[in-house]
Amino acid sequence: MSRRSRGSNTWEVRASTLARNTHNLIRDIVENLQVEPNPNKQLIALSVGDPTTFGNLNPPEQVIQAVRESNEWLSSRSYGPAKGHLEAREAVAKYSAHQSNEEISPEDVVLCSGCSHAIELAITVIADSGQNVLVPRPGFMIYKTVAEGLGINIKYYNLLPDQQWKVDLEDLENQIDDDTAAIVVINPSNPCGSVYNKEHLSEILDIASRNHVPIIADEIYEHFVFSNHEFTALSAVSKDVPILTCGGLTKRFLVPGWRMGWIIIHDRHNVLGKEVRKGLSNLATRILGPNTLIQRALPAILSCTPQSFFDDVVLFIENQAKLAYDELRRAPGLRPIMPQGAMYMMIEIKTSLFPSFKNELQFVERMVAEQSVFCLPGQCFAYPNFMRIVLTVPEDILREACQRITIFCKDHIVSRETLKEIDSNLVNVSSDSEVICDSGPALA
């Protein structure tokens, strides 16, 4: 960057390198859509990962009351310690006891301004410019947003859609090099909704251990698991791999706007040492600590929220996942993959069956224009030919959205005759069918 000389007669003010190199892929794509919804149909946005958007999911009274009481305390209006008030960190340590076979100390906890801030601190404390961090593909792109502005490279390892989005272990290990500072594991997954069992977590940990690479565990959706699945914290399985676990109130307690997250340091053999702990404390001072109003309410929020509240929310989302899966597997040219948890579903778009669209972004844009349904294209997660939907919307709205998506697919899928001309072996067409119906992997 050129510097102007003292006494220059012109203004030369530029954005910093950090600012120029910081991009939020989801925001970039959403804000640059060159399309208007169908004015005759109410827009249904299945795109935003905010469970409060439609007003049908709300925190319980105990959570609201805890904040009301916090508002009466003088200390809830003042600056707190950069790492967070001791009482709040003690509450997080107790709430997170399932993450370790050993007692978690409040000194292992750093409170943050939401889980995204926790992710930023975890990356920033462990990686330098020129190093790389391994991130799942598909995966949440806040890692790319944070890292690239700092000159930290993102390398992707693949997930396997035909194996419930398990990690491609061979690909993961192949991505590790001398400059790899950390591996990111998102479990339960955004955007996939996968939930890894202990065996698979152990396989991931074995790779990290062999290569001496620490892990950043994104577990903001911990306990968000459906029937016949169980959440296991990565740190509870680790024998020697140091783990920085990122979590928070956002999703499970349905309060994303309260911006309360945390990092928990799991370092059984003191691999990270005092330097990384001190580094996290240093970085926390950049914002002078998170929201003290919510900090003061945190002990009551974490201890008094009834289990029945969590159970009801997860059951609702599981039923929504079943609804969407049953509806969309009938949509010609689509292959939904049933999630095991979180609040999203990934859907494959068999783009070869929609030749009028160059990619899934055009597919999604046209669906907004014709059916006023907006899903996030796979490009938002570095994963083309897929789209993601959010499952937290009311049942009637989700059903309507799925029906519109099905209509859109029927309107645009290639005809039997044209398909035969393209590739007679691509799909088996039923003799009594008006349209090509996707029966699963056969259309892959």
Side-chain angles (χ1 to χ4, degrees):
M1 174 178 173
S2 61
R3 299 284 184 181
R4 61 188 177 92
S5 60
R6 181 175 296 184
S8 173
N9 293 324
T10 60
W11 287 93
E12 295 183 29
V13 181
R14 296 182 61 190
S16 68
T17 301
L18 173 61
R20 294 197 309 273
N21 292 338
T22 298
H23 304 281
N24 185 309
L25 191 57
I26 293 178
R27 298 291 183 184
D28 288 348
I29 290 176
V30 170
E31 292 174 4
N32 289 305
L33 282 176
Q34 302 296 317
V35 64
E36 294 292 331
N38 184 334
N40 297 317
K41 296 186 177 184
Q42 182 71 34
L43 177 66
I44 301 176
L46 301 181
S47 53
V48 182
D50 182 345
T52 70
T53 298
F54 286 83
N56 58 311
L57 295 176
N58 295 286
E61 176 59 27
Q62 292 89 337
V63 170
I64 302 299
Q65 182 59 29
V67 177
R68 290 193 190 104
E69 293 175 3
S70 174
N71 189 51
E72 299 299 320
W73 299 352
L74 178 61
S75 59
S76 72
R77 304 164 208 165
S78 307
Y79 288 127
K83 291 172 55 177
H85 282 293
L86 176 60
E87 295 85 353
R89 289 186 286 117
E90 287 176 335
V92 171
K94 183 177 180 181
Y95 170 78
S96 304
H98 63 279
Q99 292 184 9
S100 178
N101 296 320
E102 300 175 357
E103 184 177 356
I104 298 174
S105 164
E107 294 307 309
D108 298 324
V109 178
V110 179
L111 299 185
C112 309
S113 183
C115 189
S116 58
H117 182 227
I119 289 168
E120 179 182 4
L121 292 190
I123 289 178
T124 308
V125 78
I126 215 166
D128 270 320
S129 177
Q131 291 187 293
N132 64 71
V133 174
L134 306 190
V135 175
R137 176 171 54 198
F140 187 39
M141 285 294 101
I142 194 69
Y143 295 94
K144 182 180 177 71
T145 302
V146 169
E148 289 191 337
L150 298 170
I152 299 165
N153 300 314
I154 289 295
K155 294 179 68 177
Y156 297 105
Y157 64 87
N158 290 322
L159 305 184
L160 301 170
D162 295 329
Q163 296 183 36
Q164 286 298 146
W165 301 107
K166 283 186 174 181
V167 172
D168 183 332
L169 298 170
E170 181 179 359
D171 185 52
L172 170 61
E173 190 148 23
N174 287 340
Q175 300 307 321
I176 298 174
D177 60 29
D178 291 342
D179 293 321
T180 301
I183 299 169
V184 172
V185 178
I186 308 175
N187 179 50
S189 168
N190 175 10
C192 305
S194 53
V195 178
Y196 298 151
N197 60 27
K198 290 182 181 180
E199 180 182 4
H200 192 52
L201 293 176
S202 294
E203 293 172 329
I204 297 168
L205 286 164
D206 286 345
I207 292 173
S209 179
R210 279 199 302 273
N211 292 277
H212 302 100
V213 180
I215 289 179
I216 297 172
D218 183 341
E219 296 180 355
I220 187 63
Y221 292 98
E222 63 173 356
H223 308 300
F224 246 100
V225 296
F226 299 161
S227 302
N228 302 317
H229 297 282
E230 181 180 358
F231 169 73
T232 300
L234 193 63
S235 52
V237 184
S238 177
K239 297 177 181 177
D240 62 335
V241 177
I243 296 172
L244 298 179
T245 300
C246 300
L249 292 182
T250 299
K251 308 298 184 180
R252 195 180 188 213
F253 291 83
L254 305 178
V255 287
W258 288 4
R259 314 309 302 137
M260 179 52 62
W262 48 76
I263 293 175
I264 301 178
I265 304 166
H266 299 279
D267 188 17
R268 185 172 300 171
H269 300 294
N270 200 31
V271 173
L272 300 178
K274 294 181 180 179
E275 185 172 300
V276 171
R277 289 177 179 269
K278 176 62 175 174
L280 281 171
S281 297
N282 292 346
L283 291 170
T285 65
R286 290 166 63 91
I287 66 164
L288 303 181
N291 187 327
T292 52
L293 177 68
I294 306 304
Q295 280 190 60
R296 283 308 193 191
L298 203 51
I301 291 173
L302 296 179
S303 64
C304 297
T305 302
Q307 182 62 41
S308 59
F309 162 74
F310 301 127
D311 294 342
D312 289 347
V313 171
V314 172
L315 179 61
F316 169 76
I317 296 175
E318 180 176 359
N319 287 335
Q320 294 292 84
K322 292 175 180 177
L323 184 160
Y325 180 79
D326 288 341
E327 291 280 344
L328 294 177
R329 67 178 177 171
R330 299 188 184 98
L334 299 186
R335 180 171 72 111
I337 299 177
M338 181 67 185
Q340 300 167 318
M343 54 187 224
Y344 310 103
M345 177 183 288
M346 286 288 276
I347 302 158
E348 182 181 5
I349 304 169
K350 300 181 182 300
T351 49
S352 62
L353 302 182
F354 300 97
S356 59
F357 305 122
K358 292 181 180 179
N359 51 44
E360 91 281 355
L361 180 58
Q362 287 190 358
F363 180 98
V364 166
E365 287 180 331
R366 184 72 69 82
M367 193 159 61
V368 174
E370 295 183 10
Q371 294 295 335
S372 292
V373 176
F374 181 34
C375 309
L376 278 186
Q379 291 182 30
C380 292
F381 311 101
Y383 210 74
N385 301 324
F386 275 75
M387 62 183 180
R388 187 197 78 175
I389 64 171
V390 174
L391 301 169
T392 52
V393 303
E395 178 182 346
D396 58 333
I397 294 178
L398 182 61
R399 189 181 301 278
E400 171 70 17
C402 290
Q403 291 172 352
R404 291 191 201 175
I405 292 171
T406 300
I407 291 171
F408 178 82
C409 290
K410 290 180 178 179
D411 287 345
H412 291 281
I413 197 163
V414 66
S415 67
R416 276 189 306 182
E417 293 73 17
T418 304
L419 179 61
K420 288 178 181 179
E421 293 175 6
I422 295 174
D423 185 353
S424 60
N425 295 319
L426 182 62
V427 68
N428 294 323
V429 182
S430 173
S431 59
D432 60 352
S433 177
E434 291 293 325
V435 297
I436 303 161
C437 292
D438 182 0
S439 59
L443 288 178

